[in-house]
Amino acid sequence: MESILIFRVGLVLANRPASPLDFDKRLRALESFLKLSDAQSLAAANKRISNILKKAEVAVDTQVQTALPQEPAEHELRAQLQRAEADTQPFFAAGNYQAALLRLASLRPAVDKFFDDVMVMTDDKDARNNRLALLGSLRAVFLKVADLSRLPG
């Protein structure tokens, strides 16, 4: 049990919390998040995203080009992510990481559908880079609390 806590502390410390209180809030939010039914799936998605972004041969931008044609699942994830980012901004500003993660957990169906329906590493360079940007944006919003991609599973 102690080793699990130490591991989770490392996930939070990876983000360099601003203060001991901020660290505590992040750790408590992570503990609460991990009890959610969507937590394992989202942690796995974060790990997959991290691996895809590491293997990308270009620097990944987080600016998604909305003018490019998109698959329906890609468009839906982008739209839901934009709403989630707007919804979580006040939570992050207030240090309410638990509420932020709870809101982000609602992205699970869109994330799952994206990975089921969309080929990220397509031959179309513009589409590939746009999809990588979308994944980079998704990863960045989760990283505001802890590095979920390092969770086992």
Side-chain angles (χ1 to χ4, degrees), residues 94-134:
N96 189 346
Y97 303 111
Q98 188 169 350
L101 281 177
L102 186 60
R103 172 60 179 93
L104 292 174
S106 70
L107 292 172
R108 180 187 172 207
V111 171
D112 289 348
K113 183 138 181 71
F114 176 85
F115 280 122
D116 287 344
D117 295 357
V118 177
M119 172 66 75
V120 176
M121 300 308 280
T122 181
D123 290 336
D124 181 332
K125 181 181 173 187
D126 291 334
R128 179 180 60 241
N129 289 342
N130 210 42
R131 291 169 184 169
L132 290 170
L134 177 59

Side-chain angles (χ1 to χ4, degrees), residues 32-145:
S32 179
F33 172 77
L34 291 174
K35 293 175 185 171
L36 298 175
S37 61
D38 292 333
Q40 283 298 90
S41 177
L42 286 167
N46 270 274
K47 184 175 286 192
R48 186 174 182 183
I49 291 167
S50 179
N51 289 336
I52 289 170
L53 295 176
K54 282 179 190 174
K55 292 178 183 177
E57 297 175 1
V58 295
V60 176
D61 189 7
T62 56
Q63 292 295 328
V64 177
Q65 302 299 316
T66 57
L68 290 174
Q70 298 179 340
E71 297 289 330
E74 180 180 3
H75 175 74
E76 182 61 25
L77 178 58
R78 182 183 58 78
Q80 286 195 31
L81 178 58
Q82 285 178 324
R83 286 191 296 272
E85 286 177 314
D87 292 348
T88 58
Q89 192 172 20
F91 297 140
F92 284 124
N96 189 346
Y97 303 111
Q98 188 169 350
L101 281 177
L102 186 60
R103 172 60 179 93
L104 292 174
S106 70
L107 292 172
R108 180 187 172 207
V111 171
D112 289 348
K113 183 138 181 71
F114 176 85
F115 280 122
D116 287 344
D117 295 357
V118 177
M119 172 66 75
V120 176
M121 300 308 280
T122 181
D123 290 336
D124 181 332
K125 181 181 173 187
D126 291 334
R128 179 180 60 241
N129 289 342
N130 210 42
R131 291 169 184 169
L132 290 170
L134 177 59
L135 293 178
S137 296
L138 181 61
R139 178 159 164 68
V141 75
F142 275 99
L143 279 173
K144 290 181 178 182
V145 178

